[in-house]
Amino acid sequence: MTALTYTVFTDPASVEASAAGRRSKSTGTVYLVITNTARRTDWSRIEVRVPVGDGVGDLTPNLPEMKGKYTDNRWGTQASTQEVKVDPQRDTNVFEVTPKSGGAASFKPGDYLVLTMENVTIAATAGPAVLTVREKTEDDDGEHTRYTSVALVKTAPKEIPAPRDFHPDKGMVGAGENLTLSWEGSPEFDYKILFPGGQKDISSDTRTWTPPDAPKRATTYTLVATDTVTQKQHFLTTTVQVRFPVLETLTATTGIDTLWVQGTVDGKKGRVTFTDTGVEISGNSGGRGTVTADRADLNGVNTGWVQGRSADDGKITFPKDGLDVRNGSGAWGTVHADKADLNGINTEWVQGRSADDGWITFPVEGLKVHRKDDSHLTHLEVGYATHDIVKTRIVRGLNDDDGWISFRAEGLNIRRGRGTERGTLFAANTELKE
């Protein structure tokens, strides 16, 4: 039995073996507490052997540093502490602990010595690790060299806790407003974030990410954490809402309820507003806008006017007594049609299709037939006509060299061709009074 008592403690209380393949190793602090529970003893040397390696019985793959402090704990008085010398032995896994002053030092009952190994990398294999001790002491019975051992347990490594608390810094963003996603998790995972249209690999030591493009519509982000050793994956999702979303397409199977619909491009923000009577179309400036379509199939149209596509096209307005047709300048315009089926026509004149064609006016007496170059009564061709009275100055044959008849107060003149030479009256029977 040793003269002194040896006890080992660890922080954390249960140290885990380091999992093979992990980026980071399991670490802990090992305390070896040495006390005197019996009679007064002088000590000159304590040797502690640490098992080094990654096997079942090993504590650590690399020999750590050891420090020591001796406390004089005299009962009823203030305890005092002093450092002791701790030297690793060359080419061994042994630490030699000696009094600070050298030689032998008193180790009274109640005093204690604490040897500390901090940030020890724990071996990769679970199981007990045994520290062996050799002490050299002296008491009333003489000098003694005795041995003992103390053990600690390396537990099997636990599964790495899944990442958690994946969230945006704001749940609702405006158009073009950036956001940052953050989470908590182990550096032992490979991280990536999935989002519509792509994904981003994240460094294992990073716990935040800002999307390069601000979301335009409600967007779900998925955090994928992959265990680098087991390849087990964990998935966390979070959704960010956009205050004024931009949609590429929208399919609604039961309908859409909204006050208005508006464009998104600057300069093209026309709006459709839904009223109690139908819809209103507004332009980019907010005034009444234009509907452009290939065809409109309507039961009726109420409008102040109708015009062609160009600003100088003709226009039709709708006064109370019918409609007015105007040309691009605003003057009276022309109606072009193949046929008109009307109950009546009120007009000042009628002319052929060409500007050189003759034209007809409608005086109070009846009608007048004109040529282009003057307003005199001119050539009239009639297939058949029945009149109570025909008033005319000249009657000519159908051919240019036919004779003609003029009407004078005394009677009539018969002339030949185009000239003024007297012509001949031909008749089957002529009865004259003179």
Side-chain angles (χ1 to χ4, degrees):
M1 174 181 281
T2 56
L4 304 175
T5 302
Y6 299 84
T7 308
V8 66
F9 301 93
T10 61
D11 181 17
S14 177
V15 293
E16 291 184 11
S18 296
R22 298 293 185 202
R23 293 191 178 100
S24 59
K25 302 298 182 180
S26 174
T27 61
T29 299
V30 178
Y31 302 97
L32 179 59
V33 180
I34 306 170
T35 61
N36 184 359
T37 61
R39 58 184 179 175
R40 178 183 177 279
T41 301
D42 293 334
W43 70 286
S44 58
R45 185 172 65 251
I46 297 174
E47 296 174 341
V48 180
R49 177 180 287 112
V50 177
V52 174
D54 268 330
V56 174
D58 297 321
L59 173 63
T60 178
N62 303 297
L63 188 67
E65 180 183 5
M66 179 182 285
K67 298 179 181 179
K69 289 185 178 182
Y70 176 83
T71 300
D72 182 0
N73 191 28
R74 285 175 289 180
W75 198 258
T77 62
Q78 182 68 36
S80 63
T81 300
Q82 60 180 342
E83 293 185 357
V84 296
K85 292 176 62 177
V86 180
D87 296 313
Q89 300 300 295
R90 184 186 299 273
D91 300 328
T92 67
N93 301 331
V94 176
F95 291 97
E96 183 183 70
V97 183
T98 57
K100 186 77 171 179
S101 58
S106 177
F107 206 133
K108 297 183 295 297
D111 291 350
Y112 55 89
L113 171 61
V114 179
L115 301 177
T116 304
M117 292 181 290
E118 295 180 336
N119 297 320
V120 177
T121 299
I122 307 302
T125 308
V130 179
L131 281 65
T132 56
V133 178
R134 179 170 65 177
E135 67 175 18
K136 185 175 182 180
T137 60
E138 182 178 354
D139 54 25
D140 294 340
D141 296 331
E143 291 185 356
H144 305 279
T145 299
R146 299 183 177 93
Y147 298 84
T148 190
S149 59
V150 288
L152 58 88
V153 175
K154 302 166 293 174
T155 62
K158 298 183 179 65
E159 182 179 351
I160 300 173
R164 61 187 182 88
D165 197 23
F166 181 48
H167 68 280
D169 59 343
K170 51 182 79 74
M172 176 77 73
V173 297
E177 184 179 358
N178 289 327
L179 75 146
T180 299
L181 303 172
S182 60
W183 64 95
E184 295 181 15
S186 170
E188 298 301 327
F189 290 120
D190 283 337
Y191 294 102
K192 64 181 176 181
I193 293 180
L194 310 180
F195 50 90
Q199 66 180 44
K200 176 64 177 178
D201 292 333
I202 309 297
S203 173
S204 62
D205 57 357
T206 299
R207 299 296 176 270
T208 62
W209 179 67
T210 297
D213 299 316
K216 296 180 178 179
R217 63 193 67 87
T219 302
T220 297
Y221 298 92
T222 301
L223 175 69
V224 182
T226 303
D227 189 314
T228 58
V229 175
T230 66
Q231 298 303 306
K232 181 178 180 179
Q233 291 187 318
H234 303 275
F235 298 86
L236 296 174
T237 61
T238 188
T239 299
V240 177
Q241 302 294 331
V242 177
R243 188 169 289 106
F244 300 108
V246 177
L247 303 177
E248 295 177 359
T249 61
L250 174 64
T251 301
T253 58
T254 58
I256 298 175
D257 292 336
T258 183
L259 295 177
W260 50 265
V261 178
Q262 179 174 306
T264 60
V265 180
D266 289 342
K268 297 182 180 180
K269 292 188 176 181
R271 176 180 291 194
V272 179
T273 304
F274 299 91
T275 68
D276 56 347
T277 59
V279 298
E280 291 182 356
I281 308 298
S282 303
N284 190 68
S285 63
R288 290 187 179 275
T290 301
V291 176
T292 303
D294 180 60
R295 179 180 177 185
D297 187 351
L298 308 170
N299 291 328
V301 178
N302 291 336
T303 183
W305 51 268
V306 177
Q307 187 177 18
R309 294 183 183 275
S310 300
D312 57 353
D313 285 350
K315 179 185 290 187
I316 301 174
T317 58
F318 301 90
K320 291 186 179 297
D321 56 351
L323 60 86
D324 289 344
V325 178
R326 303 280 179 175
N327 61 25
S329 65
W332 288 110
T334 301
V335 176
H336 299 273
D338 180 60
K339 179 180 179 181
D341 187 351
L342 308 170
N343 291 329
I345 299 176
N346 291 335
T347 183
E348 183 179 352
W349 52 267
V350 177
Q351 187 177 18
R353 294 183 182 275
S354 171
D356 294 333
D357 290 349
W359 47 289
I360 302 172
T361 59
F362 301 90
V364 176
E365 299 85 356
L367 62 84
K368 287 184 178 180
V369 180
H370 301 261
R371 292 197 331 194
K372 166 183 172 283
D373 55 354
D374 58 39
S375 60
H376 294 291
L377 189 65
T378 185
H379 188 78
L380 174 64
E381 293 186 5
V382 180
Y384 177 84
T386 301
H387 304 282
D388 291 337
I389 297 175
V390 176
K391 292 182 178 182
T392 184
R393 186 167 60 86
I394 297 173
V395 176
R396 185 187 297 277
L398 294 176
N399 299 318
D400 290 341
D401 57 352
D402 287 349
W404 53 279
I405 302 173
S406 63
F407 298 89
R408 304 176 57 144
E410 299 87 353
L412 58 85
N413 289 327
I414 299 175
R415 304 291 181 178
R416 297 178 59 179
R418 288 278 183 183
T420 58
E421 184 182 354
R422 292 184 181 276
T424 303
L425 174 63
F426 296 91
N429 186 16
T430 302
E431 182 178 344
L432 303 173
K433 293 188 176 182
E434 295 185 4

